[in-house]
Amino acid sequence: MIIPKKALLATIATAGISFVSAECPNACSGHGECSSHDMCSCDRNWQGADCSQRTCPFGRAHVDLPKGDLNFDQQIGDFDEEVLEYSTTYPYGTTEGFPHMVDTDGVVIDDTAHDYAECSNKGVCDRAIGMCDCLPGYDGAACQRASCPNDIISSKDRTVVQVTSDGKAASRSTTYGARNHANVQTGQCSGHGTCESIAQLAHLNNENIYTLWDKDTTMGCSCDAGWDAPDCSERMCKYGIDPLYTDDTTARVTQTAVRIESSDASALGGQYALVFYDVFGEDYVTKPLDIDGTGVVNGVNVCDAATAALIELPNGVVPSVECSYQVLNTNKGFEYTLTFIGNPGELKELEINQHLDGSRSTITVSSGTYSADVYTKVIGEFTDHFSERCEGIEVQILADSLNSDNSWSSHVRPGSLGYLAHPSGAFTPAQKKKLKACLGDADYDTENNVDVSNWDRGYVKEANDDGSYHMIGAFPHAIKVVPVELTANYDKYMNGHYHLVWYDENAESDNKEFRVANLNDNSNVIGEGQTYYVYTTKGTVQQMGYGNESPLEIEDNDVAGTTTSSTRITGYFDKYSNKIYTNYDTSCKNNPESPNNRNHVCVEKGDKLFVIDSCWGVGDLDSSGDPIGNPIFGGSLISGCPTSQDVNYNTGNIYTVTKVYTVPVGANTTVASDTVDISADTTLKRSVDTNVIEVNANFGWRGWQGDPENSNTALSGARDTSWSDNTGIVFLFHFNPVEEGSYSYTSMCSNRGACNKGTGICECFKGYTKDDCSLQSSLAM
């Protein structure tokens, strides 16, 4: 057979081309192109000499691992020396040294971590299918998440079909050792919770914000109500009050006030519902409740209606509740107080649902406007940090005012509204000594204690042109007072009151030296008020301030005309709100090194605060610009306390911080706590509202702020220039409880039984019975 020359050349050429293509391994497996030097140029996310291996997903590394000497030059390059450019795994190169981040100015930040890594350095890449085989405890396409605990894993091999170079199908299992790619989570959090990221968990907890690198990587269980443990596998038991605790004192249970008010009389109508949260955090919504400005609808008053609706909630979640109410003005609404005696412990604050039909309010008024608010009078508690009674001492809390017209005495100033009095008159020297010894140390430092009683007086000195005064100090004492038993049927839910106390030796001649910062009522004559036992704490109360003092605490300023006094941290807040706006960023994040100003004591989520009404403020001024009467006290313009009748009583709660943050500057905001120039700005009020502390309950009173536009300028242009008119005037006190002297009296099974975490049922000790083991019984043996 004779083949034409042209056809032969074409055949040879064709064969030559085929021969060249065949030089690349496995024809690049169909996932790349054969390039020069018989090397495969692989498609995206394929690698290997023949492009048969897949690249797995990258994620932020849980732990950075060194890559080693990738280019085999026998040395490890630095963070900015890129190697392996155009490689299949790192087509744009990588570094052998740990990478460093830079700030917006291009400055290298040394302390950096969590670079991108294949399978996030917590898995092995199965290059046959391009899927990460995650190590136990990690999941996600790139092993980028830490698994929630108690995941039930199904382990089924996945069969992968591959096409070989000869066009035939081949299959193989993907199992690596004891692990495989068919891991399917079927029982996260034991089936009694949801698996959430740490950012989601922070949001669920009072809408806190978590923004660190692992915000979407670290996972945890958000357990259903009544379930506990990291994997939500344990049931919780009913909470109760230790019956042996109430042998010696009273329990603080939640007492919440609901107030619905209209601007016009006889105008209220419509419906609302209450949202109740139990001790486990589960919410329950009552049936709709009718409203009338008289507080009575169809012969049923608001208390009876509310208590019936709460008790009717499912599962007997509210077994018993007490209620009292009052009608406001002339048929303008009502306020009722609920005491949850059947729900011990700290409860999330009750809420009003006034939108039963969606976005439209179902509370109506025929004319004018209305408000619907909730505030907490008594915060329930799990732990008593004031469990030590001062034996042999009984006191009355008296306002230091005249009985005839309730006007203040000369000893009164902010932080000094009343005093501890003995029920039968003056304290004897022995009783004074005993009370001082019970109060004891107040400032972490026993070396500076005084007297044979070995105690701290708790005051600082302040001065103006009239002289030097004692004021509530950097470390006042805190006490709890509990009513003395006067009847056989003693009410164990008759809550005690917290007070801040300090010593003013200038009032000794009047037997009023044990000064009290906050009041319970307007009793100002011995025998008129309630008689109390006194309980003290090993914890420490510190008045909040900022500066560069050493030590970091409020200092004396006992020289008139000087400006060496420490700067207090003050705040203001709206009535029925839980947000405190402070004049300084109190967060522990804002804590620069000395000699810069910084918090004397910073505030974090979970910290405790005393926020009391003690008639804080400057008040009226004389012609010289000095406060009238005592220093930084009183007057109707700011403090709102012209007499002892005008004080907000029962403000001695211990609040828990739920959130600390800053917000951007707004239109009516100033970031500086300097005095507003009312000559240049006579109408607009700007306040420092960028620093916020949120607490666990609404205040039932308003924490005032300065009011420069209404300051007294008639007296020769005099006005207060010694303090910040555009910040709050309420002093804040940080409470640091300690384990010594504390007792957790509200607990599962009331401390008198063991909780069976499998059944959620209390197994009571001998001599105790009831579903929460809170009842002593000689028959329970």
Side-chain angles (χ1 to χ4, degrees):
M1 176 180 175
I2 301 174
I3 301 175
K5 182 177 180 180
K6 288 185 177 180
L8 178 62
L9 293 174
T11 301
I12 295 173
T14 302
I17 293 172
S18 299
F19 179 79
V20 171
S21 296
E23 287 296 320
C24 279
N26 203 21
C28 300
S29 305
H31 300 298
E33 295 181 357
C34 188
S35 59
S36 59
H37 306 293
D38 299 334
M39 294 180 62
C40 289
S41 177
C42 298
D43 295 340
R44 184 174 67 89
N45 289 330
W46 290 88
Q47 61 177 282
D50 61 353
C51 301
S52 64
Q53 298 180 342
R54 300 185 67 173
T55 301
C56 285
F58 277 60
R60 289 291 185 186
H62 296 270
V63 179
D64 286 307
L65 298 176
K67 296 186 180 76
D69 185 10
L70 298 177
N71 60 358
F72 304 104
D73 64 355
Q74 297 184 356
Q75 57 183 338
I76 303 298
D78 205 350
F79 69 90
D80 56 352
E81 297 178 19
E82 289 191 356
V83 298
L84 294 190
E85 191 174 4
Y86 307 118
S87 75
T88 53
T89 305
Y90 303 102
Y92 299 101
T94 186
T95 60
E96 296 174 333
F98 288 119
H100 291 310
M101 300 178 188
V102 296
D103 61 19
T104 55
D105 293 327
V107 178
V108 173
I109 306 172
D110 292 330
D111 296 329
T112 58
H114 310 293
D115 190 22
Y116 282 103
E118 196 173 24
C119 299
S120 306
N121 280 344
K122 286 298 180 181
V124 177
C125 181
D126 183 347
R127 305 213 177 275
I129 58 174
M131 292 180 64
C132 291
D133 182 16
C134 299
L135 298 175
Y138 297 88
D139 60 57
C143 306
Q144 75 274 19
R145 294 189 302 268
S147 304
C148 276
N150 206 5
D151 292 332
I152 302 170
I153 305 297
S154 63
S155 303
K156 297 180 180 179
D157 289 354
R158 176 183 287 114
T159 300
V160 178
V161 178
Q162 291 181 294
V163 179
T164 61
S165 59
D166 60 2
K168 296 180 178 180
S171 63
R172 69 181 185 83
S173 170
T174 63
T175 300
Y176 276 134
R179 303 187 304 275
N180 58 76
H181 297 291
N183 290 348
V184 179
Q185 298 179 355
T186 61
Q188 290 181 336
C189 304
S190 308
H192 301 297
T194 56
C195 186
E196 311 284 354
S197 70
I198 191 171
Q200 293 168 324
L201 291 172
H203 181 78
L204 291 172
N205 190 335
N206 299 291
E207 298 184 356
N208 276 281
I209 299 172
Y210 185 92
T211 58
L212 298 183
W213 76 272
D214 62 338
K215 62 185 179 68
D216 299 317
T217 297
T218 298
M219 310 296 289
C221 289
S222 176
C223 297
D224 297 336
W227 292 86
D228 197 19
D231 60 353
C232 304
S233 63
E234 298 177 354
R235 298 191 68 172
M236 302 177 72
C237 291
K238 188 173 181 179
Y239 277 79
I241 296 173
D242 189 337
L244 298 187
Y245 172 83
T246 51
D247 281 349
D248 300 315
T249 185
T250 59
R252 288 178 65 88
V253 294
T254 301
Q255 192 176 95
T256 305
V258 176
R259 185 183 182 96
I260 300 179
E261 184 176 13
S262 62
S263 60
D264 296 345
S266 303
L268 274 173
Q271 291 183 321
Y272 71 102
L274 297 176
V275 182
F276 172 79
Y277 294 87
D278 68 10
V279 72
F280 304 115
E282 186 65 82
D283 61 306
Y284 298 82
V285 183
T286 68
K287 64 184 181 183
L289 300 171
D290 295 322
I291 301 175
D292 188 89
T294 64
V296 178
V297 177
N298 297 326
V300 179
N301 65 55
V302 289
C303 263
D304 291 341
T307 54
L310 288 165
I311 291 174
E312 289 172 8
L313 288 173
N315 299 116
V317 64
V318 181
S320 57
V321 59
E322 295 178 348
C323 184
S324 61
Y325 81 101
Q326 60 175 332
V327 178
L328 305 176
N329 297 320
T330 306
N331 299 335
K332 287 188 176 182
F334 49 83
E335 177 175 313
Y336 60 90
T337 300
L338 298 166
T339 304
F340 292 95
I341 59 175
N343 297 87
E346 182 181 338
L347 306 179
K348 183 179 178 181
E349 193 165 57
L350 195 77
E351 295 176 358
I352 295 176
N353 182 356
Q354 55 182 299
H355 300 91
L356 303 181
D357 296 337
S359 60
R360 180 182 66 85
S361 174
T362 51
I363 299 178
T364 62
V365 285
S366 57
S367 62
T369 60
Y370 79 91
S371 60
D373 299 290
V374 170
Y375 68 96
T376 297
K377 290 185 174 181
V378 178
I379 299 175
E381 62 185 13
F382 295 104
T383 302
D384 181 7
H385 301 293
F386 295 73
S387 61
E388 298 182 358
R389 182 191 291 186
C390 187
E391 297 295 340
I393 298 296
E394 296 179 4
V395 301
Q396 292 185 351
I397 309 291
L398 299 182
D400 195 359
S401 61
L402 297 180
N403 192 40
S404 58
D405 60 3
N406 298 306
S407 61
W408 297 112
S409 82
S410 60
H411 300 300
V412 174
R413 57 192 67 96
S416 179
L417 301 188
Y419 60 99
L420 300 180
H422 192 274
S424 60
F427 288 108
T428 66
Q431 289 169 336
K432 290 182 182 180
K433 182 178 178 181
K434 175 66 174 178
L435 182 54
K436 292 176 181 179
C438 289
L439 295 174
D441 181 63
D443 63 355
Y444 306 103
D445 184 8
T446 57
E447 296 296 324
N448 63 5
N449 290 356
V450 298
D451 301 339
V452 294
S453 298
N454 192 29
W455 78 307
D456 285 317
R457 294 190 175 116
Y459 68 77
V460 294
K461 295 178 181 179
E462 294 281 358
N464 68 0
D465 293 339
D466 297 327
S468 178
Y469 297 83
H470 289 169
M471 304 285 291
I472 188 168
F475 295 95
H477 296 278
I479 64 171
K480 180 179 73 173
V481 294
V482 175
V484 172
E485 307 99 323
L486 299 177
T487 62
N489 297 319
Y490 187 63
D491 184 2
K492 67 179 181 181
Y493 301 112
M494 188 163 49
N495 61 281
H497 305 279
Y498 293 115
H499 295 273
L500 298 185
V501 176
W502 54 283
Y503 193 81
D504 186 358
E505 58 205 34
N506 295 329
E508 288 178 345
S509 59
D510 295 325
N511 296 312
K512 299 178 179 180
E513 60 268 37
F514 291 99
R515 306 303 298 176
V516 175
N518 52 303
L519 301 175
N520 299 331
D521 53 40
N522 192 35
S523 300
N524 53 15
V525 177
I526 292 176
E528 184 178 63
Q530 179 83 48
T531 300
Y532 300 100
Y533 296 121
V534 176
Y535 292 78
T536 58
T537 180
K538 298 293 185 182
T540 300
V541 177
Q542 182 169 2
Q543 185 178 160
M544 293 174 61
Y546 67 94
N548 57 7
E549 301 92 336
S550 181
L552 289 172
E553 60 186 58
I554 302 297
E555 294 181 331
D556 288 338
N557 179 33
D558 54 353
V559 179
T562 64
T563 58
T564 59
S565 179
S566 301
T567 304
R568 269 87 168 173
I569 289 177
T570 59
Y572 67 91
F573 45 86
D574 293 327
K575 194 174 184 179
Y576 312 129
S577 168
N578 71 331
K579 294 182 179 180
I580 307 171
Y581 298 96
T582 60
N583 60 333
Y584 190 75
D585 181 1
T586 62
S587 68
C588 294
K589 180 180 176 181
N590 179 33
N591 199 24
E593 296 293 329
S594 179
N596 298 299
N597 287 340
R598 56 199 187 281
N599 286 291
H600 293 172
V601 55
C602 61
V603 176
E604 294 181 301
K605 179 180 177 295
D607 282 4
K608 307 290 185 182
L609 297 180
F610 281 103
V611 185
I612 61 172
D613 183 15
S614 194
C615 294
W616 313 109
V618 179
D620 300 324
L621 308 171
D622 60 23
S623 59
S624 301
D626 292 326
I628 295 175
N630 295 322
I632 60 172
F633 175 71
S636 59
L637 292 182
I638 295 176
S639 69
C641 294
T643 72
S644 59
Q645 285 183 312
D646 302 297
V647 181
N648 293 293
Y649 305 122
N650 297 319
T651 62
N653 271 310
I654 301 177
Y655 293 91
T656 301
V657 175
T658 60
K659 204 172 180 180
V660 186
Y661 58 98
T662 59
V663 295
V665 175
N668 293 324
T669 297
T670 176
V671 295
S673 57
D674 298 323
T675 304
V676 174
D677 184 355
I678 61 172
S679 298
D681 184 1
T682 59
T683 58
L684 182 61
K685 179 170 182 168
R686 293 189 178 93
S687 300
V688 178
D689 61 0
T690 57
N691 310 308
V692 187
I693 300 174
E694 290 189 17
V695 294
N696 60 333
N698 291 340
F699 300 103
W701 55 291
R702 178 180 176 183
W704 288 92
Q705 62 199 101
D707 197 355
E709 285 74 28
N710 291 326
S711 293
N712 187 356
T713 60
L715 302 176
S716 304
R719 61 182 296 274
D720 177 31
T721 58
S722 62
W723 78 306
S724 302
D725 274 323
N726 57 341
T727 64
I729 64 174
V730 179
F731 289 14
L732 304 177
F733 297 85
H734 183 277
F735 177 52
N736 182 29
V738 295
E739 185 175 347
E740 182 182 0
S742 297
Y743 185 72
S744 296
Y745 66 88
T746 301
S747 63
M748 287 188 289
C749 307
S750 310
N751 290 337
R752 301 300 147 188
C755 178
N756 186 321
K757 296 182 179 179
T759 63
I761 297 175
C762 289
E763 298 172 353
C764 300
F765 302 150
K766 289 183 178 181
Y768 298 90
T769 187
K770 209 176 173 184
D771 57 355
D772 61 356
C773 304
S774 63
L775 180 64
Q776 286 182 286
S777 174
S778 59
L779 301 178
M781 303 301 290

